[in-house]
Amino acid sequence: MSDSPSPTSSGELVRAVYHLSGPEGEIPRRARDICVEQTVEFPEELIARQDIREGIIGRVVSIEPVRPELSEVTIGYPVGVVGTELPQLLNVLFGNISLQPGIRLMGFDLPRSLADGFRGPRFGRRGIRALLGAPTRPILGTAIKPMGLSPRELADLATDLALGGMDVIKDDHGLVDQAFCRFDERVARVAEAVARARSTTGRPCLYLPNVTGPSDEIERRARAAVDAGAGGLVVSPGLVGFDAMRRMADDADLAVPIFSHPALLGSFTVSPRQGIAHGALYGQINRLAGADACIFPSFGGRFAFTEDECRGIAEATRAPMGRIESIFPVPAGGMSLDRIPELRRFYGDDVILLIGGDLHRGGPDLVESCRSFGRRACD
Amino acid sequence: MSDSPSPTSSGELVRAVYHLSGPEGEIPRRARDICVEQTVEFPEELIARQDIREGIIGRVVSIEPVRPELSEVTIGYPVGVVGTELPQLLNVLFGNISLQPGIRLMGFDLPRSLADGFRGPRFGRRGIRALLGAPTRPILGTAIKPMGLSPRELADLATDLALGGMDVIKDDHGLVDQAFCRFDERVARVAEAVARARSTTGRPCLYLPNVTGPSDEIERRARAAVDAGAGGLVVSPGLVGFDAMRRMADDADLAVPIFSHPALLGSFTVSPRQGIAHGALYGQINRLAGADACIFPSFGGRFAFTEDECRGIAEATRAPMGRIESIFPVPAGGMSLDRIPELRRFYGDDVILLIGGDLHRGGPDLVESCRSFGRRACD
């Protein structure tokens, strides 16, 4: 067994941009502390070896004041510290310092050698548009809900939604494998209903089961879903880990679009001086982890994301990122038919509009409500 | 294929306690919104069916003012909504509402039928004490670091630490499978070194490799570690998901203690009016997810957890939780030999003291520094 090579630096850096709140005079020391905390996690003065000091410990690239009590700090981590693994990338970017107040990860930039190790989304915007034969218009999405309906009832609902022209029909993210709605039965019935509706309308329509589940069950569910005819998958990386999603995206046997749901991710963004910025989390990390579309609660719905925060997400879904494709923003969380013009003005037409409960407010003719959604979205 | 049964409620509730900040007059409506958001996520007025209203939607159990602008709200969720899966339990407790400001999950209580479905820690405090033959004294823990040392160097370090009487020697949580320190080589060399030292001292000593890694690699690493003679495992559930840890704890082929590391979990606790309370996250959720010991940054070190927050964690590691064992609190994050008396007064002797870098400040004789640690901890 030969010993590993020494940590000689290639010179390539993972650059992370942080906002640090607090007095400007303390920023240089705090920035240096981050360099140590996120790498050697060891008293720096006790490290004499030059290869570790240069090849492992992070370095402060720049410090810029933003406004009183807020500074932007860029730190470069030697790429070898990250290796090639997504959990370790998240660890180096924000693992231990997530436990410190007043530090927010604003974004990051990977050297090409590292970025090229990530496939990212298998479909992205272009791939989803190709599957749907919809090169430029907004994509119409909805969910089957409420929880408590049986698989048969959800299938009936999906039939109407597909006949009404929905492009994407996802499981509500709370549908897992409860006794009143078993995963296998739900997916089989709904996929069959959507296939039948497709043969009636002659239009593509993707059904996306929610495969979020136990670590030892998620892969089976994803395969069962695809085998049953699912056109995509919904995963909540906050519940199962971003790398579980990455694994599905990398799995050539699945090869369907993946929609990322934000459940449990809110604590990362909810406090403006801590956590991870919206664009970094929902855009950059989701893309690296293979999401093709990113569901998030848009401004003006039941949640509290601001226009600026939503703009940050939308921009990060399409910002250049090596060879990693742009992905769809999916503003959601209490969107209504009335707001479609406003959503289109804000997000543009390269968007998936997700309207759930509000489709049911238009009375019993769900097919007609869907058509109304389509007219408003595509006029 | 028979249709699923309707969601008739068993009457059993998962009770979640939240702190809501904001004007008292708005609390009843916000509490009701949580009941709907975390279950049906659908306009409540459109749900006529009694079985869904009673068997799915949460109910407000109590609302109590805590102080101006802060109320404690207890919500009961029908147990059938959760089913039996940990990711869905996390989703129901805090999934979508993590995205709302001013809501903090303080704790939860599971009905026996649900709690009994979780094995929890395989060892817990009692099991770890039995493995170490240490029925009452504080357990001595340390880490091999800094990152950048080769497997051979880390093994030499581990030899000294084991000869010095450490009970638990863990990988630094940043050691994964980097080119300068491959997982398989590190684990083989360090496990062998620790075994050799054990045969010298005649004392038990557990080596805990860090198996945090890609979703499709973590199980292989855990098995390889145990096969190589590891006496436990370190996992960062914030990086790979709590259920990935639960899966390892449930795996009878592994059957070694699991130490949970807090990397990336900080955003859940960092802001006092949002997220998840320290005891609920590090105590309750870690225990459900099978951790036998829970590493957290103690007050007075490099991090900012307060005494109250640390007390909350320590209490939650041992609070009654059905048949689920109590687990060890592992205060860490810049602990020093000087602080041992204070740590013992605060945490008591049913604790694992984890001292990393500070052991190296005592000069080149690491074996003697470890003995000094042991004397201070066990006098």
Side-chain angles (χ1 to χ4, degrees):
Chain A
M1 192 156 46
S2 70
D3 215 29
S4 304
S6 87
T8 316
S9 175
S10 66
E12 288 185 308
L13 299 176
V14 173
R15 282 163 199 266
V17 178
Y18 303 101
H19 276 183
L20 270 58
S21 31
E24 202 177 325
E26 296 176 7
I27 300 299
R29 179 195 53 76
R30 288 174 61 201
R32 187 66 203 164
D33 285 349
I34 292 174
C35 296
V36 173
E37 185 67 51
Q38 296 302 93
T39 57
V40 288
E41 218 191 312
F42 196 83
E44 193 180 357
E45 67 276 16
L46 299 183
I47 300 176
R49 274 173 51 172
Q50 206 57 21
D51 58 344
I52 295 181
R53 298 187 72 88
E54 289 179 2
I56 303 286
I57 298 177
R59 64 195 69 168
V60 178
V61 175
S62 64
I63 296 177
E64 301 287 343
V66 176
R67 57 173 185 265
E69 298 290 307
L70 190 71
S71 299
E72 182 166 292
V73 172
T74 300
I75 289 176
Y77 300 106
V79 69
V81 170
V82 170
T84 60
E85 303 175 359
L86 182 59
Q88 174 67 357
L89 174 62
L90 299 177
N91 183 41
V92 172
L93 290 172
F94 205 57
N96 271 12
I97 55 172
S98 74
L99 296 151
Q100 302 279 23
I103 305 177
R104 188 165 176 90
L105 174 65
M106 301 305 292
F108 56 90
D109 189 36
L110 306 184
R112 198 62 191 249
S113 66
L114 178 56
D116 282 354
F118 292 98
R119 156 188 284 278
R122 187 176 285 270
F123 292 86
R125 294 188 188 187
R126 284 193 298 182
I128 289 176
R129 286 197 172 287
L131 286 176
L132 292 169
T136 58
R137 65 171 173 82
I139 306 298
L140 314 179
T142 189
I144 47 174
K145 46 164 79 175
M147 186 194 289
L149 298 182
S150 70
R152 192 189 300 260
E153 291 164 326
L154 292 171
D156 289 346
L157 199 55
T159 298
D160 284 353
L161 296 166
L163 291 176
M166 294 295 96
D167 297 302
V168 171
I169 300 171
K170 64 176 271 295
D171 274 353
D172 193 22
H173 86 287
L175 296 172
V176 287
D177 184 38
Q178 293 98 335
F180 54 80
C181 191
R182 288 290 175 205
F183 178 87
D184 288 331
E185 187 187 343
R186 176 177 78 251
V187 172
R189 285 192 189 273
V190 177
E192 189 194 354
V194 169
R196 209 177 305 118
R198 275 198 305 262
S199 71
T200 303
T201 63
R203 288 176 52 123
C205 174
L206 307 177
Y207 165 50
L208 279 64
N210 175 35
V211 297
T212 306
S215 171
D216 33 7
E217 174 70 5
I218 189 168
E219 187 177 343
R220 189 202 71 76
R221 287 190 195 166
R223 286 174 198 278
V226 169
D227 288 347
L233 303 170
V234 176
V235 187
S236 299
L239 299 175
V240 297
F242 276 99
D243 201 70
M245 183 165 76
R246 191 276 312 154
R247 179 183 185 175
M248 278 189 270
D250 281 356
D251 187 338
D253 289 342
L254 296 176
V256 294
I258 295 173
F259 281 45
S260 159
H261 187 281
L264 207 64
L265 291 177
S267 299
F268 287 107
T269 60
V270 72
S271 181
R273 294 186 306 170
Q274 343 253 11
I276 302 179
H278 295 73
L281 182 68
Y282 292 107
Q284 288 192 286
I285 295 175
N286 259 329
R287 282 168 79 184
L288 270 187
D292 298 286
C294 145
I295 302 169
F296 63 94
S298 183
F299 68 92
R302 296 192 309 277
F303 296 84
F305 282 22
T306 66
E307 290 196 16
D308 270 354
E309 291 165 349
C310 293
R311 191 175 294 113
I313 295 172
E315 284 171 2
T317 62
R318 65 168 178 259
M321 216 174 157
R323 64 174 193 183
I324 292 177
E325 290 278 342
S326 62
I327 68 175
F328 267 120
V330 190
M335 298 299 99
S336 62
L337 296 177
D338 288 348
R339 294 191 58 227
I340 291 175
E342 177 196 0
L343 293 170
R344 288 178 68 186
R345 277 194 302 274
F346 187 85
Y347 292 104
D349 280 356
D350 221 7
V351 68
I352 298 178
L353 300 170
L354 186 65
I355 298 186
D358 197 65
L359 274 180
H360 299 261
R361 290 189 202 272
D365 190 346
L366 191 57
V367 176
E368 178 46 36
S369 295
C370 290
R371 289 185 180 138
S372 166
F373 178 11
R375 286 190 298 270
R376 290 169 201 236
C378 305
D379 269 359
Chain B
M1 194 157 47
S2 70
D3 215 27
S4 304
S6 87
T8 317
S9 173
S10 66
E12 288 185 307
L13 299 175
V14 173
R15 281 163 200 266
V17 177
Y18 303 101
H19 275 182
L20 271 58
S21 33
E24 203 177 323
E26 296 176 6
I27 301 299
R29 178 194 55 73
R30 289 173 62 200
R32 186 68 203 163
D33 285 350
I34 292 174
C35 296
V36 173
E37 185 67 51
Q38 297 302 92
T39 56
V40 288
E41 218 192 314
F42 196 83
E44 194 181 353
E45 67 277 15
L46 299 183
I47 301 177
R49 275 174 50 174
Q50 206 56 23
D51 59 343
I52 295 181
R53 298 187 73 88
E54 289 179 1
I56 302 288
I57 298 177
R59 64 195 67 168
V60 179
V61 174
S62 65
I63 297 177
E64 302 286 344
V66 177
R67 58 173 186 264
E69 298 289 307
L70 189 70
S71 299
E72 182 166 292
V73 171
T74 300
I75 289 176
Y77 300 105
V79 69
V81 169
V82 170
T84 60
E85 304 175 357
L86 182 60
Q88 174 67 357
L89 174 62
L90 299 177
N91 183 40
V92 171
L93 291 172
F94 205 57
N96 270 12
I97 56 173
S98 73
L99 297 151
Q100 302 279 21
I103 305 177
R104 188 165 176 91
L105 173 65
M106 301 304 293
F108 57 89
D109 189 36
L110 306 183
R112 197 64 192 248
S113 66
L114 178 56
D116 282 353
F118 292 98
R119 156 188 285 278
R122 187 176 285 270
F123 293 85
R125 294 188 188 187
R126 285 193 299 182
I128 290 176
R129 286 198 174 285
L131 286 175
L132 291 169
T136 58
R137 64 170 173 82
I139 307 299
L140 314 179
T142 191
I144 47 174
K145 46 164 82 175
M147 185 193 289
L149 297 183
S150 71
R152 193 188 301 259
E153 291 163 327
L154 291 171
D156 289 345
L157 199 54
T159 297
D160 285 352
L161 296 166
L163 290 176
M166 296 293 98
D167 297 302
V168 171
I169 300 171
K170 64 176 272 293
D171 274 353
D172 193 23
H173 86 287
L175 296 172
V176 289
D177 184 39
Q178 293 98 335
F180 54 79
C181 191
R182 288 290 174 205
F183 178 86
D184 288 331
E185 187 188 343
R186 175 176 78 251
V187 172
R189 285 191 189 273
V190 177
E192 188 195 353
V194 170
R196 208 176 309 117
R198 274 198 305 261
S199 71
T200 303
T201 63
R203 288 176 53 125
C205 174
L206 307 177
Y207 165 50
L208 280 64
N210 175 34
V211 297
T212 306
S215 171
D216 33 8
E217 175 69 6
I218 188 169
E219 188 178 340
R220 188 200 73 74
R221 286 189 196 165
R223 287 175 198 279
V226 170
D227 288 348
L233 304 170
V234 176
V235 186
S236 299
L239 300 175
V240 297
F242 277 98
D243 201 70
M245 183 166 73
R246 191 273 315 153
R247 179 183 186 174
M248 277 189 270
D250 281 356
D251 188 338
D253 289 343
L254 296 177
V256 295
I258 296 173
F259 281 44
S260 160
H261 188 281
L264 207 65
L265 291 177
S267 298
F268 288 107
T269 60
V270 73
S271 180
R273 295 187 306 171
Q274 344 252 11
I276 302 179
H278 296 72
L281 182 69
Y282 292 106
Q284 289 194 284
I285 295 175
N286 258 330
R287 282 168 78 185
L288 271 186
D292 298 285
C294 146
I295 302 168
F296 62 94
S298 185
F299 67 94
R302 296 193 309 276
F303 295 85
F305 282 23
T306 65
E307 290 197 16
D308 270 354
E309 292 164 349
C310 293
R311 192 176 293 114
I313 295 172
E315 284 171 1
T317 62
R318 64 168 178 260
M321 217 175 156
R323 63 174 194 183
I324 292 177
E325 290 278 343
S326 62
I327 67 175
F328 267 119
V330 190
M335 297 301 98
S336 62
L337 296 178
D338 288 348
R339 293 191 59 226
I340 291 176
E342 177 196 0
L343 293 170
R344 289 178 69 187
R345 277 194 302 276
F346 187 85
Y347 292 105
D349 281 355
D350 221 7
V351 68
I352 298 178
L353 300 170
L354 187 65
I355 299 187
D358 196 64
L359 274 180
H360 299 260
R361 290 190 201 274
D365 190 346
L366 192 56
V367 176
E368 177 47 35
S369 295
C370 290
R371 290 185 180 138
S372 166
F373 178 10
R375 285 190 297 271
R376 291 169 201 235
C378 304
D379 270 359

